[in-house]
Amino acid sequence: MISALDTYLGWDRPGHNKGCKRPHWDVAVRRDEHAARHHGYGDEPLKHSCPDPYCVHGNSFTKLTVRIVCTSCGAAQLVTGEHTADTGDTTTSTTALSFGLPPRQAAGLLLWPAQPWLDFGRAASDEPHDFVVTRTKVKQVTADVVVGQITQGRGRQRGVIWAACAVPDAEGEFGFGQQLRWVHANDGRGGGGSPLRTITAAARWIGARLAEQETGGGQ
């Protein structure tokens, strides 16, 4: 994750076949110990040697397969991967992932909980999430409905502040390398506007930038 936006954007959803009458996914995970490495089907298993005594990439590996099937329309997808110290599967919750939690409303906008980029110690804090911002009545976060982003930081005296970005634009000055770029940004400390010491203040700042855009005053 490199930004709060990655909680919602950049994910592909499995698709049902046309005319599916009862869309429903049956999801299961399989672990195959000692799966052999191959160049391709029918080839001899790869021989792996490595001088690193801690290398886990042996001639065999633990293979993970996620099977996703709709029993109504017959659509199916298999996702395979290798279980290592860095990759595999994790049992967690929506609270830790942020995705799946309901949005909160502030300043006439919806704030969708998002996994923070810098999350050390955040889980035990009063505000464990960053936020992706949309207008009200949005049911699902997609790139075309996002209007802002709110992320927690620290001020000069180590107090909590909230940085905010508003008005997505492909040529925006801020957010280079993220899922979206932005026309406006406030670092929460006063750079880009007034200091933002609460989530509500950050939401109001985003709302003001959106209002400027609508009236032409933000250009």
Side-chain angles (χ1 to χ4, degrees), residues 44-203:
E44 290 292 324
L46 293 174
K47 294 182 179 180
H48 179 84
S49 60
C50 181
D52 184 353
Y54 300 105
C55 177
V56 296
H57 293 95
N59 294 338
S60 64
F61 66 102
T62 299
K63 181 180 180 180
L64 289 178
T65 304
V66 180
R67 183 182 65 196
I68 308 170
V69 176
C70 177
T71 54
S72 175
C73 67
Q77 184 172 350
L78 293 177
V79 182
T80 59
E82 181 173 351
H83 192 292
T84 70
D86 300 312
T87 62
D89 61 335
T90 303
T91 300
T92 182
S93 68
T94 55
T95 301
L97 287 179
S98 304
F99 183 83
L101 296 174
R104 69 170 73 174
Q105 190 162 345
L109 299 168
L110 289 182
L111 279 54
W112 299 78
Q115 196 168 21
W117 176 41
L118 298 174
D119 60 356
F120 181 76
R122 288 284 296 275
S125 70
D126 293 335
E127 292 292 352
H129 306 112
D130 288 342
F131 298 91
V132 173
V133 183
T134 71
R135 298 186 187 274
T136 56
K137 299 183 180 181
V138 168
K139 301 300 182 183
Q140 179 178 316
V141 178
T142 54
D144 59 315
V145 299
V146 174
V147 297
Q149 175 181 265
I150 298 173
T151 57
Q152 188 183 118
R154 294 286 173 175
R156 295 181 180 85
Q157 304 299 320
R158 303 303 299 164
V160 172
I161 53 96
W162 295 89
C165 297
V167 185
D169 188 290
E171 302 300 323
E173 180 181 354
F174 308 98
F176 184 80
Q178 296 185 15
Q179 295 281 350
L180 297 174
R181 292 169 65 175
W182 309 96
V183 175
H184 304 286
N186 184 325
D187 65 7
R189 303 177 181 88
S194 301
L196 306 175
R197 297 187 176 89
T198 66
I199 295 171
T200 300

